[in-house]
Amino acid sequence: MKNFEVEPGTYVPDTGLTYSETDPYVRMYQPTYDRVVKVDENFPFCDDSLRYRFLNYISYGFILYFSLGIWLRLSTGLRFKGRENLKKYKDVLKGGYITIANHTLPHDCESVLLAVGADHTTRIPMFQKNFETKNHFFLRVVGGVPIPPAEEGLSAMKKFNAAFDEFHRRGWSFHIFPEMAKWPYYTPLRPFQKGAFTMSYKYGMPILPCALTYRPRTGIYRLFGKKNEPLVTCEIGEPIVPDTTKPRKEEVETLRQTAFNAMLKMMHIKKNPWPAVPDNE
């Protein structure tokens, strides 16, 4: 990769995959879409039904922490770093926060949720088409909220925004992937979309950067995963608090660049081939 350099001792997995060098948002993951989910103004973005609340609650205890938690530790050797920041900054984080991470793993969202000890009050804005796959049930009950496609118009987006206004009022946390598209085991950091940082400024919520890095697959872990797939570490950084006294546009850019730089440091990247802001924004 051009203009890419990491600190000595940093593991860069050899995936054999070809990544775009011009478009950081190409969707490399092409699932099978086996259903139609209409996300318009009638979609239950903020679902307070008894059935949903029950499924949402048990999904974190049984599916995420018990089933997936054990499986990820075996299959990816999942480790956590920086969890002391959760305690150190608990007063900053207590009213809800926004976790961000690089989007590179089949279960990167779950890895971050496990790292920060998230619970059923976490909400995750997601690409709408993801809900038209076999994973639609899990995405919903774990707190996924589909982002309305442009063709549904402003009325659907207003309902989506109103739902997140309510989630914030309740003191809930959010998780967002600012790189937007998943690139399997990609090591550099791609440009950030500004949505997470706009939301941070709007609600006065701190950004909590999390970095997913890799280790060679060794020892007993060879029994639980493919040899060419690395082991994973999720590191939690220090929160980045928005200054809402500054102009919105200026502070959103400051948050984005600060978060980008913090993640480069956690990922041990000395030279990165992509800037923090996409060229076409």
Side-chain angles (χ1 to χ4, degrees), residues 97-99 123 164 167-168 172-175 199 203 205:
Y97 52 89
I98 301 173
T99 50
R123 289 296 175 266
F164 276 86
F167 300 148
H168 169 62
W172 294 2
S173 294
F174 310 147
H175 174 70
M199 194 174 284
Y203 297 130
M205 296 173 71

Side-chain angles (χ1 to χ4, degrees), residues 2-164:
K2 297 178 180 178
N3 302 314
F4 178 61
E5 183 181 348
V6 295
E7 295 175 3
T10 301
Y11 180 68
V12 178
D14 182 8
T15 64
L17 298 173
T18 300
Y19 306 100
S20 173
E21 295 185 0
T22 57
D23 184 355
Y25 305 127
V26 170
R27 295 191 179 276
M28 297 181 65
Y29 175 57
Q30 298 295 331
T32 299
Y33 299 110
D34 59 2
R35 69 203 69 228
V36 175
V37 177
K38 189 171 180 59
V39 182
D40 58 12
E41 67 272 15
N42 298 312
F43 187 87
F45 298 106
C46 183
D47 193 342
D48 282 329
S49 66
L50 181 61
R51 178 179 182 274
Y52 177 79
R53 286 187 291 133
F54 173 73
L55 292 173
N56 179 219
Y57 183 82
I58 65 170
S59 71
Y60 272 78
F62 181 72
I63 300 178
L64 181 63
Y65 282 98
F66 181 70
S67 303
L68 266 176
I70 294 173
W71 182 77
L72 287 174
R73 284 171 173 82
L74 290 174
S75 63
T76 71
L78 182 61
R79 293 179 183 172
F80 307 128
K81 289 179 61 178
R83 296 183 102 177
E84 64 274 9
N85 286 326
L86 299 173
K87 184 176 181 180
K88 181 179 179 181
Y89 296 101
K90 64 180 180 179
D91 290 340
V92 175
L93 302 173
K94 66 180 180 181
Y97 52 89
I98 301 173
T99 50
I100 62 169
N102 45 322
H103 203 4
T104 61
L105 300 173
H107 294 283
D108 44 17
C109 180
E110 297 94 319
S111 297
V112 173
L113 296 178
L114 288 166
V116 300
D119 63 21
H120 68 284
T121 61
T122 301
R123 289 296 175 266
I124 312 158
M126 293 183 179
F127 180 49
Q128 177 264 334
K129 292 292 288 182
N130 290 345
F131 293 83
E132 298 186 352
T133 70
K134 63 181 181 180
N135 295 322
H136 72 286
F137 175 78
F138 176 72
L139 296 180
R140 279 293 286 154
V141 298
V142 82
V145 183
I147 302 170
E151 58 266 27
E152 293 299 341
L154 289 177
S155 57
M157 186 54 69
K158 286 181 178 178
K159 289 292 184 66
F160 174 86
N161 289 334
F164 276 86

